[in-house]
Amino acid sequence: ESNNISAKPYNLLPDQNWEIDLKSLEDAINEKTRAIVINNPSNPCGSVFNKQHLLQILGVAERHNLPILADEIYGGIIFKGSKFWPIASLTNTVPVLSVGGIAKEFLVPGFRVGWILCYDNNRHDLSEVWKGALKLTQLIIGANTVVQPALKTILTPQPGSKDAKTLEAFHYETSKQLEKNANFVADTLVKVHGLKVIRPQGAMYSMIGIDTSVFDDSISDDVAFSQKLMDEEFVFVLPGQCFGMNNYFRLVLSPPIKKLEEACSRIAAFCEKHRL
């Protein structure tokens, strides 16, 4: 909890590319609910919601007269066969607060400049929301003043210019490399007995399932798996419990392919060593 605000989790469906369990979402809503939060494309799952699923989420929001707070910071990192739909582009009735930034898409953590875009068509009074947003900007006094004035040029270079072509090529190559890494990880770890792979559709993460029944007693859950993997093989992953998903672990896809090859090799050896 923070500032007397509590978050209620809803379930995802791993076997449906991490779509939201709509019944779980609707069951979590009560008279105290003030907004629905979604993360698309997803950290940690690497999922990208399709248009139909986003419309279903909007249907829940409309039935309960709730705005949507959409974390869409990975919207520029999409793999082949998937398409990113900004959820605000699919509604004229549900207020949407879309959160974005450039640190992820441009692979520069120091470029920590972000924004909140409001889509509402003046149907609702969001004045208190903006007051709250302003207060949030004042919690940390350390804005990136170097990048702020350059933001417009970074995001919208002159069409047809060298900068525009460079930007397009950068985004293409970045997504291409991350997709290559994602496919390598999926194709490699799917062969490891005891692991369940769900192929990412975007962003830079993969969530891997752990079947604890095929491992010895030292691998009791995802936390034990992650800790022992670090202790024995020096491979760092985040346990799924960090994200409310027991018996999964998150693997980051952004390292160079050689590093991922080594990491996957060590993960496979670790699983073999602890397999019953």
Side-chain angles (χ1 to χ4, degrees), residues 25-27 29-30 33 36 58-67:
L25 171 62
E26 202 140 18
D27 287 347
I29 295 171
N30 60 30
T33 305
I36 295 172
L58 286 167
V60 174
E62 186 156 17
R63 281 196 297 276
H64 295 275
N65 195 31
L66 292 171

Side-chain angles (χ1 to χ4, degrees), residues 78-275:
I78 307 298
F79 302 158
K80 194 177 298 181
S82 297
K83 180 177 179 178
F84 169 64
W85 293 88
I87 194 167
S89 69
L90 303 177
T91 180
N92 289 317
T93 56
V94 177
V96 174
L97 300 175
S98 174
V99 180
I102 61 174
K104 310 298 184 181
E105 191 173 336
F106 286 85
L107 310 181
V108 185
F111 279 19
R112 287 205 173 273
V113 176
W115 51 81
I116 301 174
L117 303 177
C118 178
Y119 302 88
D120 184 49
N121 292 323
N122 297 316
R123 291 174 178 266
H124 300 79
D125 179 9
L126 298 181
S127 58
E128 292 301 312
V129 173
W130 287 119
K131 288 180 184 177
L134 180 60
K135 290 179 181 179
L136 281 175
T137 67
Q138 298 168 342
L139 285 178
I140 300 176
I141 307 302
N144 192 331
T145 55
V146 174
V147 176
Q148 280 180 332
L151 192 60
K152 182 178 179 181
T153 302
I154 292 171
L155 295 177
T156 56
Q158 186 69 27
S161 66
K162 181 180 178 181
D163 285 346
K165 293 176 182 177
T166 300
L167 181 63
E168 183 179 2
F170 171 78
H171 287 326
Y172 173 78
E173 291 299 329
T174 298
S175 292
K176 181 180 177 182
Q177 185 61 57
L178 287 169
E179 182 173 7
K180 179 181 178 182
N181 291 0
N183 287 333
F184 168 78
V185 168
D187 292 340
T188 302
L189 295 186
V190 75
K191 302 171 186 175
V192 178
H193 186 57
L195 299 184
K196 176 183 178 181
V197 176
I198 301 166
R199 194 175 297 270
Q201 300 166 298
M204 53 182 71
Y205 311 97
S206 181
M207 283 285 271
I208 312 296
I210 307 164
D211 181 357
T212 57
S213 69
V214 307
F215 297 116
D216 60 42
D217 291 342
S218 69
I219 309 298
S220 57
D221 60 13
D222 52 295
V223 174
F225 181 99
S226 301
Q227 184 63 61
K228 293 187 72 66
L229 180 63
M230 181 66 184
D231 293 342
E232 297 176 14
E233 298 293 341
F234 306 105
V235 176
F236 177 72
V237 298
L238 275 180
Q241 288 184 41
C242 294
F243 310 99
M245 291 297 296
N246 295 344
N247 291 335
Y248 282 85
F249 66 86
R250 189 193 75 168
L251 189 66
V252 178
L253 303 173
S254 55
I257 192 71
K258 289 294 183 182
K259 293 290 186 182
L260 286 175
E261 289 174 359
E262 179 69 19
C264 288
S265 175
R266 294 186 184 201
I267 291 171
F270 173 82
C271 290
E272 181 62 30
K273 180 168 62 174
H274 288 279
R275 194 172 70 184

